[in-house]
Amino acid sequence: MFGNSRWSQSINSCGKAAGVYTWEEVQKHSSRTDQWLVINRKVYNITQWARRHPGGFRVISHYGGEDATEAFAAFHPDPKLVQKFLKPLLVGELAPTEPSQDGKKDVRIIQDFEDLREQVEKEGLFRARPLFFCLHLGHILLLEALAWLMVSYWGTSWMLTLLCALMLATAQSQAGWLQHDFGHLSVFKKSKWNHLVHKFVIGHLKGASANWWNHRHFQHHAKPNIFRKDPDVNMLHVFVLGNTQPVEYGIKKIKHMPYNYQHHYYFLVGPPLLIPVYFHIQIMQTMISRRDWVDLAWAMTYYLRYFCCYSPLYGVFGSLALLTFVRFLESHWFVWVTQMNHIPMEIEYERHQDWLTMQLQSTCNIEQSSFNDWFSGHLNFQIEHHLFPMMPRHNYHLVAARVRALCEKHRIPYEMKSLWRGMADVVSSLKTSGELWLDAYLHK
């Protein structure tokens, strides 16, 4: 009945007639040129707004034609502020006979997770401890200072240079985890302060781009391990992942690489090249093509500082070689930590699942220890991080038991591994996917 009488007599706050819609009608608006989404039963037309979305147009577009309520709650620290931007986009609401959730999502899971979110928020687990992040920043700056002082005063022998590279790589990796905190708005109460310090950490301390990171990383969080939506599983035909993609490639006789050997060549093209080659090129191209001069200026301050410090000691080419080696070491650290939580998990096409189920199927945890916490930037609590991306990382362990209990209640697997098991599973999952490709390539 509501589908036929599209325009009701209700009036929204802007004075325009507000429609009443069914989910079937909302789902028709899911193309790039016509996008609607639902937040708390309100229907919004985001077609024009998507290009101006601070998190990038892709992340919001991934929810075109869908219910984005859970994602909205996960990514926005101040919903009242965001309502100012949503108000002009309002086109109506769901019909009273329509469920609040789309598809086959389990309303019990959604409600239980929302109750948990409200509970931990009341307990103050979304409030950061400033001392924690000050100490973390301090140990990064200390490592960088000691590395330079060491080779400045004691010389540039091979042993000292190697030790300097290890210290710089450690500082870079830890700065990577720190910029991740600010990028997720999990340190300061006000978003603008998080954004400002984020640009300092990722730009001045790492030579990268905050906007590039935001637009890429939030897609990963919004739709983890989902082909065509999560950029982290877009392997540019170098690898095939999961159980579905290898079979598809095999049936279509796609052989850009010998995928049955991908668990071997992963060691040559994965950890060593991601940051020094692929990310470096992509970051520079993105800043220049999008004319993101602010991020480019921040990044240039890193390179200016680095070469001013090390060129007098190693010369320009020697300094460049040292920096490349540091990036090489950092890349190994970054790839193993980030991929052991995701690559061995389910990697599929869009299934329109609730937030809890979607995140648990695509993430796993690594056992807690002081070393694991530091080494991974607390991303050993990947499940809790994905469920509550704005929660300060020092509070993940406080909510982990309740998340696990909720998963047990709804029979959702909560996977925990040792650090070495997590790394080994990256290789074994690549091997399994490669074998699936070979079997489909030869026999289907």
Side-chain angles (χ1 to χ4, degrees), residues 227-228 233-241 243-257 259 262 265 349 433-434 436-442 444:
F227 290 120
R228 299 175 186 160
V233 296
N234 176 18
M235 296 295 172
L236 303 175
H237 305 299
V238 178
F239 301 100
V240 288
L241 304 176
N243 297 327
T244 300
Q245 187 186 53
V247 176
E248 286 184 347
Y249 273 47
I251 291 174
K252 295 177 182 178
K253 309 305 177 187
I254 297 175
K255 189 182 180 182
H256 296 286
M257 299 287 285
Y259 298 119
Q262 65 179 5
Y265 66 72
Y349 291 100
S433 297
L436 288 172
W437 169 82
L438 182 62
D439 179 66
Y441 187 84
L442 296 177
K444 295 183 181 180

Side-chain angles (χ1 to χ4, degrees), residues 341-359:
N341 298 117
H342 293 292
I343 291 296
M345 304 303 290
E346 183 177 288
I347 303 176
E348 270 295 347
Y349 291 100
E350 179 65 80
R351 290 185 174 180
H352 303 289
Q353 297 169 308
D354 62 86
W355 187 258
L356 181 70
T357 302
M358 176 176 66
Q359 302 296 345

Side-chain angles (χ1 to χ4, degrees), residues 265-322:
Y265 66 72
Y266 165 79
F267 291 94
L268 301 176
V269 302
L273 302 183
L274 183 67
I275 288 180
V277 178
Y278 178 66
F279 273 4
H280 181 74
I281 293 172
Q282 189 182 64
I283 289 169
M284 291 301 171
Q285 283 182 338
T286 300
M287 289 191 293
I288 294 171
S289 64
R290 294 180 181 172
R291 299 179 181 178
D292 192 351
W293 308 129
V294 173
D295 276 13
L296 184 61
W298 274 109
M300 289 303 102
T301 65
Y302 165 79
Y303 289 102
L304 180 64
R305 173 173 59 87
Y306 173 82
F307 282 105
C308 282
C309 288
Y310 287 95
S311 290
L313 302 172
Y314 293 96
V316 174
F317 291 107
S319 299
L320 185 61
L322 175 61

Side-chain angles (χ1 to χ4, degrees), residues 121-402:
E121 195 164 2
K122 288 178 182 177
E123 293 175 9
L125 297 187
F126 283 92
R127 290 198 295 267
R129 297 202 305 266
L131 180 61
F132 174 90
F133 294 101
C134 287
L135 291 175
H136 192 80
L137 174 61
H139 100 290
I140 293 167
L141 298 178
L142 181 62
L143 280 169
E144 291 216 352
L146 290 177
W148 179 76
L149 288 171
M150 180 179 63
V151 291
S152 295
Y153 284 91
W154 294 336
T156 56
S157 66
W158 281 104
M159 284 300 295
L160 289 178
T161 298
L162 178 60
L163 183 56
C164 174
L166 290 172
M167 294 170 70
L168 290 176
T170 301
Q172 284 295 294
S173 295
Q174 292 299 320
W177 309 142
L178 185 60
Q179 69 81 23
H180 180 262
D181 297 315
F182 290 104
H184 275 294
L185 313 179
S186 63
V187 181
F188 296 108
K189 289 183 179 180
K190 291 188 176 294
S191 296
K192 65 179 181 181
W193 286 107
N194 284 297
H195 290 310
L196 178 61
V197 181
H198 186 215
K199 287 186 181 295
F200 166 76
V201 177
I202 196 173
H204 183 68
L205 296 186
K206 291 190 62 61
S209 164
N211 287 334
W212 167 85
W213 183 90
N214 284 334
H215 294 179
R216 179 186 177 92
H217 192 66
F218 287 137
Q219 289 185 74
H220 163 68
H221 270 270
K223 297 287 185 176
N225 282 18
I226 294 177
F227 290 120
R228 299 175 186 160
K229 293 189 175 182
D230 180 0
D232 287 4
V233 296
N234 176 18
M235 296 295 172
L236 303 175
H237 305 299
V238 178
F239 301 100
V240 288
L241 304 176
N243 297 327
T244 300
Q245 187 186 53
V247 176
E248 286 184 347
Y249 273 47
I251 291 174
K252 295 177 182 178
K253 309 305 177 187
I254 297 175
K255 189 182 180 182
H256 296 286
M257 299 287 285
Y259 298 119
N260 51 311
Y261 294 109
Q262 65 179 5
H263 57 295
H264 294 306
Y265 66 72
Y266 165 79
F267 291 94
L268 301 176
V269 302
L273 302 183
L274 183 67
I275 288 180
V277 178
Y278 178 66
F279 273 4
H280 181 74
I281 293 172
Q282 189 182 64
I283 289 169
M284 291 301 171
Q285 283 182 338
T286 300
M287 289 191 293
I288 294 171
S289 64
R290 294 180 181 172
R291 299 179 181 178
D292 192 351
W293 308 129
V294 173
D295 276 13
L296 184 61
W298 274 109
M300 289 303 102
T301 65
Y302 165 79
Y303 289 102
L304 180 64
R305 173 173 59 87
Y306 173 82
F307 282 105
C308 282
C309 288
Y310 287 95
S311 290
L313 302 172
Y314 293 96
V316 174
F317 291 107
S319 299
L320 185 61
L322 175 61
L323 178 59
T324 302
F325 184 56
V326 169
R327 296 291 193 215
F328 171 84
L329 295 175
E330 177 199 1
S331 189
H332 280 80
W333 192 330
F334 172 82
V335 170
W336 284 109
V337 168
T338 57
Q339 298 312 304
M340 65 184 177
N341 298 117
H342 293 292
I343 291 296
M345 304 303 290
E346 183 177 288
I347 303 176
E348 270 295 347
Y349 291 100
E350 179 65 80
R351 290 185 174 180
H352 303 289
Q353 297 169 308
D354 62 86
W355 187 258
L356 181 70
T357 302
M358 176 176 66
Q359 302 296 345
L360 265 293
Q361 289 185 353
S362 59
T363 56
C364 68
N365 277 8
I366 302 299
E367 294 172 348
Q368 183 186 21
S369 70
S370 297
F371 175 78
N372 287 355
D373 291 352
W374 174 83
F375 181 74
S376 67
H378 286 84
L379 294 183
N380 49 327
F381 289 97
Q382 190 74 213
I383 291 172
E384 288 69 30
H385 170 59
H386 265 255
L387 292 177
F388 307 104
M390 293 187 298
M391 181 179 287
R393 60 162 129 151
H394 52 67
N395 288 336
Y396 292 155
H397 71 284
L398 298 175
V399 74
R402 280 177 279 184

